Amino acid sequence: SGRDDEWLATILVDLSDIALARGDLPGADRLNREAAEVADRLGTPRPHLAQRIQAAEIAAARRNYEAAGKLFTEARAAATQLGDPVALWQCHAGMASVYRGMERISDTAQEYRIAIGIIEDERSKLTHDEFKLSFLSHLIRFYDDYVDFLIERRDIAGAFRVAQSCRARLLAEKEHTAGKPEPAVELKPLQRALQPSSSVVLSYWLAPQRSFLWVIDGTDLQVFPLPREDDIASRVRQYADAIQSGVNP
């Protein structure tokens, strides 16, 4: 039935996205082509939109930036026409990755800002049950990329601010908080609060490719690169296992 095909198209795109996240580009492409066949059978615009965005993501992962940009541009127009905020946000986030790959730095920064603006302006729609799973599954990946981009540009304070904004937003989603999330921790007020006691705050950001540690005191902010999230998790497990086994770690 049509409803079954709608679910099938969604599942195939989701499976393609999982394959892409694992680095299985041939598998991601095959699953997305299957989704395209189902979308063609349905003949409705929304399944085609999801499949086109996924095709753009795959092209970007292959560093075929010209094809990715064309697909994202087409999808952005369709998302605007359909009034789909998740798809529109994905298109701008995707274009940020395309421009970053092309080393078009100002365009990259602009696309990230537009994507953040959509998150802020359309939060009530983005977290509606119809969109929430798709939105949240891509949100952390988006913030990982944005933080990494800012660190690469040596905007240490900007990266810290974005990371704290991400934490505040994810906490709001987990607690199902209505309206705007609680304000993120701001650097300058935090540093003023640290000055009387000469305290130091360590703030960690774990990500799939590389992680970061911010060291904050009353006057300074430094950032240090750390291994990727999986490597850190493995070391933590080894340390925990050693303690439980009575071995000196």
Side-chain angles (χ1 to χ4, degrees):
S1 67
R3 185 62 176 169
D4 289 341
D5 278 346
E6 287 180 10
W7 280 109
L8 179 58
T10 299
I11 291 168
L12 286 168
V13 169
D14 287 344
L15 289 173
S16 174
D17 193 51
I18 292 170
L20 181 61
R22 291 176 174 172
D24 180 9
L25 296 182
D29 188 54
R30 175 180 55 80
L31 288 162
N32 198 49
R33 289 180 184 277
E34 291 179 19
E37 292 175 4
V38 177
D40 288 340
R41 191 160 65 235
L42 281 166
T44 54
R46 200 173 294 277
H48 275 292
L49 174 58
Q51 184 272 328
R52 186 174 295 149
I53 291 173
Q54 185 63 12
E57 297 279 7
I58 294 168
R62 287 175 166 160
R63 300 185 180 182
N64 187 347
Y65 297 125
E66 183 177 352
K70 183 175 183 294
L71 287 164
F72 276 129
T73 300
E74 293 172 354
R76 184 174 59 197
T80 302
Q81 186 174 5
L82 288 171
D84 186 331
V86 169
L88 187 60
W89 171 70
Q90 285 181 276
C91 290
H92 284 289
M95 283 305 302
S97 69
V98 168
Y99 285 141
R100 186 180 179 187
M102 298 171 70
E103 299 184 352
R104 292 171 56 174
I105 302 305
S106 61
D107 290 328
T108 303
Q110 181 180 12
E111 290 295 336
Y112 276 128
R113 287 193 295 268
I114 293 172
I116 288 287
I118 293 172
I119 294 173
E120 298 298 335
D121 294 342
E122 301 286 355
R123 179 173 182 260
S124 62
K125 295 179 182 177
L126 291 167
T127 55
H128 190 276
D129 288 344
E130 182 182 359
F131 300 121
K132 190 167 187 176
L133 182 60
S134 176
F135 171 62
L136 293 180
S137 67
H138 290 85
L139 184 63
I140 296 176
R141 191 186 309 171
F142 166 76
Y143 276 109
D144 283 342
D145 290 344
Y146 195 11
V147 168
D148 195 83
F149 168 73
L150 292 170
I151 293 288
E152 191 176 78
R153 302 305 302 164
R154 300 181 182 178
D155 185 358
I156 298 172
F160 176 77
R161 184 172 58 252
V162 169
Q164 298 307 312
S165 175
C166 173
R167 290 192 175 105
R169 179 160 300 284
L170 290 176
L171 180 62
E173 303 305 340
K174 289 179 180 180
E175 295 183 349
H176 306 288
T177 305
K180 290 186 176 181
E182 290 295 318
V185 175
E186 292 291 340
L187 180 60
K188 292 301 182 183
L190 174 60
Q191 289 182 312
R192 285 196 296 270
L194 293 174
Q195 286 173 356
S197 60
S198 299
S199 298
V200 175
V201 168
L202 304 180
S203 179
Y204 292 87
W205 181 261
L206 304 183
Q209 299 304 318
R210 59 175 179 167
S211 303
F212 300 103
L213 165 65
W214 286 274
V215 179
I216 308 141
D217 62 21
T219 59
D220 197 16
L221 170 69
Q222 299 180 72
V223 67
F224 299 91
L226 297 175
R228 62 182 185 176
E229 185 176 14
D230 286 348
D231 291 343
I232 292 174
S234 176
R235 295 180 191 184
V236 170
R237 284 194 298 270
Q238 291 174 8
Y239 188 86
D241 290 344
I243 292 174
Q244 291 176 358
S245 302
V247 178
N248 188 342

